[in-house]
Structure formats: C-alpha cells, structure tokens
Amino acid sequence: MSLQLDFALGETADMIRDTTERFAAERIAPLAARIDAEDWFPQALWPEMGALGLHGITVAEADGGLGLGYLEHVVAIEEIARASASVGLSYGAHSNLCINQIARWANPEQKAKYLPKLISGEHVGSLAMSEVGAGSDVVGMKLRAVKTDAGYVLNGTKFWITNAPYADVLVVYAKTGEGSRGITTFLIEKDMPGFAIGQKIDKMGMRGSPTAELVFTDCEVPEANVMATVGGGVGVLMSGLDYERTVLAGIQTGIMQACLDVVLPYVRERKQFGQPVGGFQLMQAKIADMYVALNSARAYIYTVARNCDAGRTTRFDAAGAILLASENAVRVSLEAIQALGGAGYTKDWPVERFARDAKLLDIGAGTNEIRRMLIGRELIGAA
C-alpha cells in the first residue's frame, strides 16, 4: 500500500521528483548530520545538481534552462529539503531568488554573462534585500547607490543574506532615490572593488546554509549591471516574492515528509507495555495529524504553483501557502520529537534538527505576521 497521495502533478513533475529523490537520498542525506553539526556548506553538490538541470528548472531552454515551471521547482526543492533543509534553503536562494530573478528581469547580455555558470553550478548565487533596519519594511533600506560617470557607487550594508560567503553573483537592491520608486536592482560580482563579506551569522537552525552580512564601501558598479530599470527595483522585488514564497514553501513539506520518514518506522518498532508504540490510539492520532498537515500544505502549495505557471498568481495565496506550510512544519516537527520521546530530544536522532530548521520559514521570506496582514488586507480590499 502506497502512503503517497497521488496529486496528479503530471509526468514531468513525477520525473523531476524521482530524479531528485534518488540524488538527494544518495548524495545529500548522508551529509545532512555533518552539514548541521559543522555549519558546513557542501558546495561540491552545486555542480552535481547543475548536471541534473536542477538550478535552471524555471529558466527558458533558450537561456540554458529546462523551461519548466514553478510546480516542478517546488517538487525538486521538497525532495532536496527532505534530505537536508539547509541544502534546500541554499538551493532555493540560488535557483529561485537569484537565477529566476535574472531569468525574468535581466537583459540578453546579462543573461548570457551570468546564467551559464549559475545554472551549471560552477557559480553560487544569492539575493540581498534585507538590512539590519529593513526587513519587512523593504522601502526603509539604507544601502545607497549614487550615480557617477562610470556607473554607480554603493555604500552601506545588507544583513541576513543566504549564501553570501560563497556567492559569486548577487542580486542586490539599493536606493537610487526616495520612496518606492527610488530602489534599483544591481548585479554584483564577488570581486568588485569595495565589496566585502562581513560577519557570518551563527543560526539556531538551517546550519550549513551560510548567512552573512554584505559590506559596500565605495563599491563601483558599472551601469551595465543595473537589472531592469533604474528606480524599478520594487517591482522586481515584489514580483519575485510571490514565486519565492511558493517555491520555499516546498522546504517545509520536505521537512514534514522527513519527519514521517523517521517517525513511522520508529513507532512500528519501538515497544512499550508489550506492544509497538504505534499500536496505541493516541500515537495513531498523532500520526494522522502529521500526515494531514503535510498533505493539506502540499495541496495548497501545488495549486498555487500551478497558478503561477498559468500566469494566475495571487499574492495572498502565495503568502497563504507558505503560512500554512511553515506553521504545519513547526507543529509536525515538534510532534515528531514527542513521538520519539526522550530519543527525539537527543542529537542521535534528526528530528530535533527538523524542528530547528522548520522554524526559519515562520520568519524568512516574510514573517507569518506580515503574511497574515497581507492576506487580510488584500481580501478585505484595504489600501
């Protein structure tokens, strides 16, 4: 009997799942404990994922990608995160936040320059939006780009930037004016004079997905590295958030599946009072709740992803999908710890890592408080 509900995602999505699941089980899962314990970024996996086409899933074939959709991207990130959520997060930042934005907004010359090595995995990509004083309040960013004869000079910092210490190419938002029409998107290369990596951030979870500060000190950026239009950065940023939330939500379903992967064999084998723990109705109810939480999140995410592919994206549903997935994943991971009892509270079992990893997406890609505000505001029709 199969425990997998058939969501009828289609032959291509099923093929992506099978390929990614095999790769993740063979190459990522054996490294997951070390990645977490040592806060180690396994960069050697990037070219391997590139060879499978995973970095360019949503990039047009003419630009070197697979020419597929966000549904297939969600499926891929789910299977990667099932093996290691931190690899899933770095993969999402690379393939969606960086590559997908370049594929959607860059001009032909920029695509030709940056996409090949990002898609192959030779280069690592990143996106820099947040600052110490500007997270949910994006327009409050302080990184300033001043126009010069040669291009722009950037001064300021970014914070909480995923993949920053290893990134070769970064999509960076900076102020070129005032208000929502005063933000511009730049393509930054790691070797540009005046650009440096600041402090690395030691996180509770998602360890091995490196997070750091970016420092710009009179960083000279050629005008050719402006992506889209000057002053059009908010449009680039906000359009990308819907796809970011949809794709990253797949990390949470990957974590929930990983929880069930551990808990189900455990409760079948672990005996108390002369019978398997899974024979008790209270435990069966717990398993049922975990399974329903996983598949309800999957159903919402897959539907939103399909709508993204059909050009029917709604901001409140993209926010809703990751809201449901993030809160379900935290609850499921805590139930997984409870199901294992004392064993679940030790480092000998991975469920404590699942809980630490799951918590990030209650905060990242927009906090759940912001998501609720956005959903409620748009449904009510408030300005």
Side-chain angles (χ1 to χ4, degrees):
M1 180 182 67
S2 174
L3 293 177
Q4 295 291 338
L5 175 63
D6 184 0
F7 286 94
L9 302 184
E11 184 178 343
T12 302
D14 290 344
M15 180 185 66
I16 292 287
R17 187 185 298 281
D18 291 344
T19 300
T20 311
E21 181 184 2
R22 282 196 302 273
F23 172 78
E26 293 172 4
R27 295 290 297 121
I28 302 176
L31 304 176
R34 179 189 167 192
I35 289 168
D36 177 69
E38 299 179 13
D39 198 10
W40 167 58
F41 177 59
Q43 189 171 352
L45 293 173
W46 251 236
E48 296 181 38
M49 289 192 282
L52 294 175
L54 295 176
H55 297 314
I57 288 176
T58 58
V59 179
E61 291 183 75
D63 293 321
L66 295 184
L68 301 176
Y70 296 102
L71 177 63
E72 288 81 11
H73 203 173
V74 166
V75 166
I77 201 169
E78 182 176 344
E79 292 302 328
I80 291 169
R82 180 181 180 183
S84 168
S86 65
V87 174
L89 179 63
S90 281
Y91 165 72
H94 172 82
S95 61
N96 180 263
L97 278 67
C98 181
I99 290 176
N100 191 59
Q101 285 291 71
I102 293 173
R104 293 177 64 236
W105 290 99
N107 62 40
E109 293 76 18
Q110 292 167 339
K111 290 180 183 181
K113 181 176 182 180
Y114 294 113
L115 283 179
K117 290 185 177 181
L118 288 168
I119 291 172
S120 73
E122 181 180 344
H123 281 177
V124 174
S126 180
L127 178 141
M129 176 182 72
S130 299
E131 299 178 5
V132 171
S136 299
D137 178 18
V138 173
V139 180
M141 67 177 62
K142 302 296 184 186
L143 176 63
R144 176 67 61 175
V146 176
K147 185 74 176 71
T148 66
D149 291 340
Y152 291 83
V153 173
L154 274 61
N155 280 284
T157 61
K158 291 290 181 181
F159 211 65
W160 310 113
I161 308 306
T162 302
N163 292 351
Y166 297 88
D168 298 277
V169 180
L170 304 95
V171 175
V172 176
Y173 298 97
K175 295 294 283 287
T176 50
E178 300 303 323
S180 61
R181 296 186 179 181
I183 294 175
T184 300
T185 314
F186 294 90
L187 291 166
I188 303 297
E189 301 169 26
K190 67 176 182 179
D191 295 327
M192 285 181 170
F195 172 65
I197 303 300
Q199 63 176 302
K200 185 179 178 185
I201 300 163
D202 190 11
K203 305 188 302 294
M204 167 182 130
M206 295 295 189
R207 296 172 58 77
S209 176
T211 308
E213 176 188 33
L214 308 181
V215 180
F216 297 85
T217 307
D218 293 331
C219 177
E220 298 180 3
V221 181
E223 191 163 2
N225 282 52
V226 171
M227 192 166 78
T229 60
V230 174
V234 167
V236 175
L237 188 158
M238 297 306 290
S239 71
L241 277 176
D242 295 338
Y243 303 119
E244 173 185 341
R245 287 168 173 153
T246 303
V247 171
L248 294 187
I251 295 173
Q252 301 300 78
T253 52
I255 291 173
M256 285 188 270
Q257 183 62 63
C259 288
L260 284 170
D261 291 342
V262 173
V263 170
L264 286 173
Y266 186 88
V267 300
R268 289 170 183 148
E269 297 168 8
R270 169 73 167 163
K271 291 186 177 180
Q272 291 288 280
F273 304 104
Q275 66 171 310
V277 173
F280 294 102
Q281 289 182 339
L282 276 173
M283 185 59 71
Q284 292 167 6
K286 193 180 298 294
I287 298 299
D289 288 344
M290 294 169 69
Y291 178 78
V292 171
L294 166 60
N295 277 336
S296 58
R298 273 180 170 152
Y300 198 179
I301 296 165
Y302 295 161
T303 300
V304 171
R306 280 174 158 147
N307 275 273
C308 289
D309 291 333
R312 297 192 301 264
T313 312
T314 60
R315 183 152 297 166
F316 50 88
D317 279 315
I322 194 169
L323 170 66
L324 179 67
S326 68
E327 294 192 341
N328 282 8
V330 170
R331 187 169 71 253
V332 166
S333 62
L334 291 176
E335 288 285 38
I337 293 173
Q338 192 72 19
L340 268 63
Y345 200 65
T346 70
K347 295 278 189 178
D348 293 332
W349 290 82
V351 289
E352 61 83 30
R353 163 164 52 89
F354 299 161
R356 288 186 286 107
D357 289 346
K359 184 59 185 173
L360 172 73
L361 285 176
D362 277 355
I363 301 164
T367 65
N368 281 344
E369 289 77 11
I370 290 292
R371 292 166 190 159
R372 284 189 164 89
M373 182 183 75
L374 186 157
I375 295 165
R377 182 183 64 199
E378 295 215 6
L379 289 177
I380 293 168

